[in-house]
Amino acid sequence: MKKILLASAFALAATGALAQSATESTGVNSALGVAPKTEDFILQASASDVFEIESSKLALQKGDETIKAFAQKMITDHEKTTVELKALLTGGKVQGNAVTALIEDHKEEVDELGKLNGAEFNEEYIDDQVEAHEDAVDLFKRYATEGENADLKAWAAKTLPALEHHYKMAQDLDK
């Protein structure tokens, strides 16, 4: 997933509208355990939510019963965090712009996932979930520890246990 975030950052930077800082987009911050800038955190957290929701909607259609149950939890929980982040942004407590649609790399990943069926679909979906949640846990942990906006930092800390639980659930399904 780190490679996806890295490529996504460059794609966003190319558009000029939602560019991430170079240290976050290259993974330097993650490797050093440095908190992302608030703008970077908002972009990555919101892009992750959109990916989780959209890939999980596909899993509701194509997955087996175990996958569908996991996917429904991902949709419910990530829609909740999307609403919470939006409330922080619209309430004036946090300045930044959230991603509201799949970024290009995530769109490609969901498109590829859509071409799969059966066990192949289930395996790829869970692999994607493990990677996405590993990255999300890292992102939220770094911001919760050292983030620059107190309200966003508190939200990241409050959200982190659910993401860690999602990561564990995905890992358990990956066995």
Side-chain angles (χ1 to χ4, degrees):
M1 187 66 183
K2 286 187 183 7
K3 66 182 182 243
I4 291 170
L5 288 175
L6 185 117
S8 300
F10 286 114
L12 290 171
T15 67
L18 300 170
Q20 285 184 314
S21 66
T23 54
E24 191 64 30
S25 66
T26 59
V28 170
N29 283 353
S30 180
L32 297 175
V34 174
K37 293 185 181 297
T38 295
E39 301 82 23
D40 292 342
F41 176 79
I42 293 166
L43 290 174
Q44 288 183 329
S46 59
S48 178
D49 272 350
V50 172
F51 174 73
E52 292 294 331
I53 293 165
E54 294 304 315
S55 63
S56 294
K57 284 179 181 177
L58 192 57
L60 287 179
Q61 298 168 14
K62 294 180 154 249
D64 63 25
E65 291 310 309
T66 302
I67 296 299
K68 287 179 180 180
F70 176 81
Q72 186 58 61
K73 178 152 183 63
M74 294 307 99
I75 292 168
T76 301
D77 290 359
H78 287 281
E79 284 178 344
K80 179 181 179 234
T81 55
T82 297
V83 168
E84 291 171 352
L85 180 57
K86 184 178 180 183
L88 285 169
L89 293 169
T90 59
K93 294 183 177 206
V94 179
Q95 301 298 311
N97 296 303
V99 172
T100 58
L102 285 170
I103 59 174
E104 187 59 35
D105 286 338
H106 287 165
K107 183 177 178 341
E108 289 173 14
E109 201 167 329
V110 170
D111 289 347
E112 289 300 313
L113 193 57
K115 295 175 184 175
L116 303 175
N117 292 299
E120 195 175 33
F121 174 86
N122 293 338
E123 183 179 328
E124 186 61 32
Y125 172 72
I126 290 302
D127 286 349
D128 289 349
Q129 295 304 305
V130 169
E131 287 182 37
H133 285 96
E134 180 179 24
D135 290 343
V137 165
D138 172 65
L139 177 73
F140 276 70
K141 194 176 287 184
R142 289 185 293 123
Y143 201 88
T145 304
E146 306 267 338
E148 48 194 9
N149 179 288
D151 290 312
L152 193 58
K153 185 176 174 179
W155 177 74
K158 178 186 79 128
T159 305
L160 183 58
L163 293 173
E164 290 171 329
H165 180 65
H166 292 173
Y167 181 44
K168 172 84 169 83
M169 290 171 63
Q171 287 176 313
D172 288 349
L173 288 171
D174 199 29
K175 294 179 181 177

